[in-house]
């Protein structure tokens, strides 16, 4: 019944590794997002997709590559992880671009050691 | 560009106290305004919203009024409870920032029994 689900919830990995975070929404929404939340709780948008098409890429290093196989899924792959990538990553979806309420997943806490 | 400024926390209050969390915005066009809440260990969830000037959003005893003349959307609650302890985010979207929700920096609220 979970509207926006992301896995894993916790991810601890070493510097230099490659990891993926998966996100799925069962709300029938067209737009999905990835946000990064730092240790001070500041939220910064990373990517936005609408119907599998990339809409926003907010100056994110190209080590981060989103993939949307269909409009219900938006996965995030991260290459060559760095210490500064440690954060909580949130997936979200909304019915349409921009104007509507967004529904958030529970977050993935990524710790790079 | 579009931005949201909200009062810095943390805010600590006693149960049944009156709450105000200030939020002001800068936006081109006519933004929609939101308050999101993040409980410990969870993702964000929409608390209330207002889509045009003078609208009042309300939910769970919280209220906020869209004031175009002061570009503000302050969050208020008459009598807070321990269960209201969370981080509160003011946010906006505009037609020109389609596919991007712009968040304030968040205000941590702690309620003492």
């Amino acid at each position: 019944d979970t509207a926006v689900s992301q896995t894993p919830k916790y991810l601890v990995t070493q510097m230099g590794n490659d990891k993926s975070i998966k996100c799925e929404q069962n709300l029938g929404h067209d737009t999905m997002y990835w946000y990064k939340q730092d240790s001070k709780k500041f939220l910064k948008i990373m990517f936005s997709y609408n119907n599998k098409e990339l809409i926003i890429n907010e100056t994110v290093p190209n080590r981060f590559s989103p993939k949307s196989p269909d409009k219900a899924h938006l996965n995030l792959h991260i290459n060559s992880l760095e210490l500064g990538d440690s954060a909580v990553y949130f997936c979200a979806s909304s019915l349409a671009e921009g104007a509507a309420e967004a529904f958030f997943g529970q977050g993935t806490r990524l710790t790079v050691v | 560009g579009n931005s949201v400024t909200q009062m810095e926390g943390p805010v600590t209050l006693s149960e049944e106290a009156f709450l105000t969390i200030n939020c002001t915005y800068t936006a081109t066009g006519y933004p929609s305004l939101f308050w999101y809440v993040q409980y410990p260990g969870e993702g964000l969830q929409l608390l209330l919203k207002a889509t045009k000037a003078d609208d009042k959003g309300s939910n769970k005893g919280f209220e906020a009024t869209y004031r175009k003349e002061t570009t503000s959307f302050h969050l208020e609650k008459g009598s807070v409870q321990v269960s209201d302890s969370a981080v509160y985010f003011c946010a906006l979207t505009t037609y020109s920032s389609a596919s991007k929700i712009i968040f304030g920096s968040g205000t941590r609220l702690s309620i003492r029994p």
Side-chain angles (χ1 to χ4, degrees):
Chain A
D1 287 320
T2 305
V4 181
S5 59
Q6 48 182 117
T7 54
K9 190 168 181 182
Y10 300 98
L11 185 52
V12 181
T13 188
Q14 290 189 324
M15 273 197 317
N17 284 350
D18 303 339
K19 290 292 177 187
S20 291
I21 307 171
K22 296 187 175 180
C23 179
E24 175 182 5
Q25 54 96 2
N26 63 5
L27 298 167
H29 288 168
D30 287 337
T31 304
M32 295 186 73
Y33 313 82
W34 277 107
Y35 278 84
K36 179 180 180 181
Q37 186 174 48
D38 64 23
S39 57
K40 295 184 179 176
K41 300 292 187 182
F42 186 73
L43 274 162
K44 184 176 167 61
I45 190 164
M46 300 173 68
F47 301 103
S48 167
Y49 270 69
N50 188 59
N51 263 322
K52 304 192 298 176
E53 299 290 327
L54 178 66
I55 304 297
I56 290 176
N57 178 344
E58 283 283 304
T59 60
V60 178
N62 55 17
R63 298 183 296 104
F64 291 79
S65 52
K67 294 239 178 346
S68 182
D70 55 61
K71 74 174 195 177
H73 294 85
L74 181 62
N75 303 323
L76 183 65
H77 188 75
I78 315 169
N79 288 329
S80 303
L81 278 154
E82 300 177 357
L83 292 176
D85 298 331
S86 296
V88 181
Y89 292 84
F90 286 101
C91 178
S93 73
S94 65
L95 189 59
E97 293 181 42
E101 168 188 358
F103 292 78
F104 282 76
Q106 292 224 322
T108 296
R109 182 175 293 278
L110 171 66
T111 304
V112 182
V113 297
Chain B
N2 300 330
S3 65
V4 175
T5 303
Q6 58 182 107
M7 65 189 283
E8 290 199 19
V11 174
T12 303
L13 296 172
S14 297
E15 207 165 17
E16 299 183 3
F18 184 86
L19 169 71
T20 301
I21 301 178
N22 289 338
C23 171
T24 56
Y25 66 88
T26 303
T28 52
Y30 301 96
S32 295
L33 301 174
F34 307 84
W35 277 99
Y36 283 82
V37 58
Q38 184 179 24
Y39 298 104
E42 297 185 13
L44 280 72
Q45 51 187 278
L46 181 70
L47 180 60
L48 53 85
K49 67 179 179 183
T51 56
K52 60 183 190 297
D54 300 325
D55 269 2
K56 179 187 282 189
S58 61
N59 185 26
K60 299 182 181 180
F62 290 90
E63 293 183 339
T65 301
Y66 187 143
R67 302 273 187 215
K68 186 165 179 252
E69 62 277 12
T70 54
T71 62
S72 65
F73 192 54
H74 304 321
L75 182 68
E76 296 182 335
K77 186 174 185 182
S79 176
V80 291
Q81 306 300 313
V82 171
S83 57
D84 294 326
S85 299
V87 181
Y88 292 81
F89 293 88
C90 187
L92 69 81
T93 62
T94 68
Y95 180 77
S96 64
S97 70
S99 293
K100 184 159 69 172
I101 306 168
I102 297 167
F103 287 94
S105 55
T107 302
R108 184 182 297 276
L109 173 66
S110 297
I111 307 300
R112 292 188 298 252

